[in-house]
Every structure is written in C-alpha cells, then in structure tokens.
Amino acid sequence: IVDVVDESYRDRTDPSRPLRVLSVACGPAWEVRDLFSKPEDTGRFHCTLLDQDEEALGEAEQAIRIVGARLGSPIHVKFLRDSVRTMLMSKDIAAQFGRHDFIYSMGLFDYLTAPVARSVLSRLYELLEPGGRMIIGNFHVENPTRLYMEYWMDWVLLYRHEDDFHALARDLPGATFTTFREETRSQMFLDVRKPRG
C-alpha cells in the first residue's frame, strides 16, 4: 500500500499541499511506519486513522510517536475512534470524517455482506476528493490458504471474485475501477478513481 500511496502523491494535482490519506479499519496501522521513512515524508502526507478498537489505535499512536522521534519531525496523524456503522448513519459524512485524496481499507470488507459493502464503499467514495483514489482489499476466492484459515484458525471470511468487486463499485458516480492481486494471489484489491472534474 505504501507504493500506491507514493504513486498517488506523485500524481496529485496540487503539488504544494500534502496528500490527505484515510485508513479505514486501520488496526495498528503497520504500513504507516513505512510511509514515513524519511524526514521529508512528514510534510508529504497527512493521515487519518479510523478504527473502532481503542487498543489498536493506541498501539498505532505509540508506534507513530516513536517514528516521529526517530525522524526528528512530528508526523501529522489524526486518530478517529469510530465505526463504519456511524459512517453509514452520518448525515454530513465529510464534516465528521473529512475529505481525502487517498482512502484505503485492507481488513474490513472481508467481513461485510454485499449490501453493506456496497453502502460503505459508496460513503467512502463521498469522502474522496475529485481526482482521488481508493484501494479496498479483500481475500480472493482462490486464496490457497483458505482451508487452513477456516479449519485450523477458525478464521472465516467473505471471499470475493473480481466480478463481485466490480458489482460493488458499479454504481459509484463517474468512477473508473479495476482489480489487481498481490504476489501470493491471496489478496485482491479494488482500485477506484474519482474523476477530477
């Protein structure tokens, strides 16, 4: 995800301001540590981390504080303890969660049924600035470790195929989207782009 965020930073229309990034269901946000690898990165990205788990957000905050100390520069990160349920019910979602150039979620949609996933995706799209990009992860139906995960780890997920992801994104106004998979072929990603104008 760090490579894709970097790519979005280079592609932004206004090079004078930082890329505003939102991570949904962020957990401990391990990837943010890699995003801020050099002192100049602290001026390139402004992050918002959203999760309903207070402990996960606390762990993320502690780790990010350590990274900021190592870089000698404060990292601009906002922590939001909230749930997607609130997001679905919000009347003014942008006022509550802000607008962002890049939104991603890696471990949420595997637990959402298609109707809920479609609604959450639509609300996240509302938070995306014109010209913004959104990456949503989901385990693929062909995940080679699926049996192990379900029977040995009791980790049952909602697996999706590319067509399932396309169906979720089909009604996003003006959106262009595609899917790709990572090297192990276990995880699939929906890559959504909002038109600039």
Side-chain angles (χ1 to χ4, degrees):
I1 195 68
V2 171
D3 292 337
V4 186
V5 174
D6 257 339
E7 182 183 314
S8 294
Y9 175 80
R10 291 190 301 273
D11 290 345
R12 73 202 190 288
T13 53
D14 183 359
S16 67
R17 67 171 180 80
L19 190 78
R20 291 172 304 213
V21 178
L22 170 65
S23 176
V24 180
C26 66
W30 296 106
E31 69 284 350
V32 176
R33 300 159 177 80
D34 296 326
L35 188 62
F36 294 98
S37 59
K38 305 178 294 296
E40 56 266 31
D41 292 335
T42 60
R44 294 170 66 202
F45 307 107
H46 285 186
C47 295
T48 300
L49 302 180
L50 170 67
D51 203 289
Q52 64 182 5
D53 185 340
E54 186 175 4
E55 189 174 331
L57 283 177
E59 188 175 331
E61 186 173 5
Q62 182 179 7
I64 289 166
R65 197 179 304 117
I66 291 169
V67 172
R70 178 176 54 79
L71 295 176
S73 182
I75 296 175
H76 189 284
V77 179
K78 181 179 180 182
F79 300 91
L80 289 180
R81 184 169 178 243
D82 220 322
S83 71
V84 293
R85 180 177 289 130
T86 304
M87 187 177 287
L88 292 175
M89 296 186 304
S90 178
K91 288 188 174 24
D92 189 354
I93 190 170
Q96 191 167 356
F97 296 99
R99 293 203 178 277
H100 306 276
D101 305 300
F102 188 92
I103 297 173
Y104 69 98
S105 183
M106 296 293 116
L108 172 65
F109 280 70
D110 312 85
Y111 299 96
L112 304 180
T113 62
V116 176
R118 190 176 297 108
S119 296
V120 172
L121 191 65
S122 175
R123 298 313 307 263
L124 292 177
Y125 191 71
E126 288 180 51
L127 298 177
L128 204 58
E129 290 280 16
R133 186 175 183 185
M134 179 165 52
I135 301 287
I136 304 297
N138 207 118
F139 273 95
H140 195 276
V141 291
E142 296 173 2
N143 172 21
T145 62
R146 180 174 179 173
L147 288 176
Y148 172 78
M149 288 168 62
E150 289 185 356
Y151 292 104
W152 287 99
M153 300 176 67
D154 195 26
W155 188 11
V156 180
L157 300 172
L158 293 173
Y159 291 87
R160 290 191 164 91
H161 189 272
E162 285 82 354
D163 292 342
D164 302 321
F165 249 169
H166 290 183
L168 296 180
R170 194 175 298 131
D171 295 328
L172 299 176
T176 56
F177 52 87
T178 186
T179 54
F180 63 94
R181 288 164 74 180
E182 44 79 42
E183 303 80 37
T184 69
R185 313 284 293 165
S186 300
Q187 286 264 345
M188 172 177 60
F189 301 94
L190 177 67
D191 188 347
V192 178
R193 294 173 192 252
K194 196 170 192 174
R196 294 190 190 276

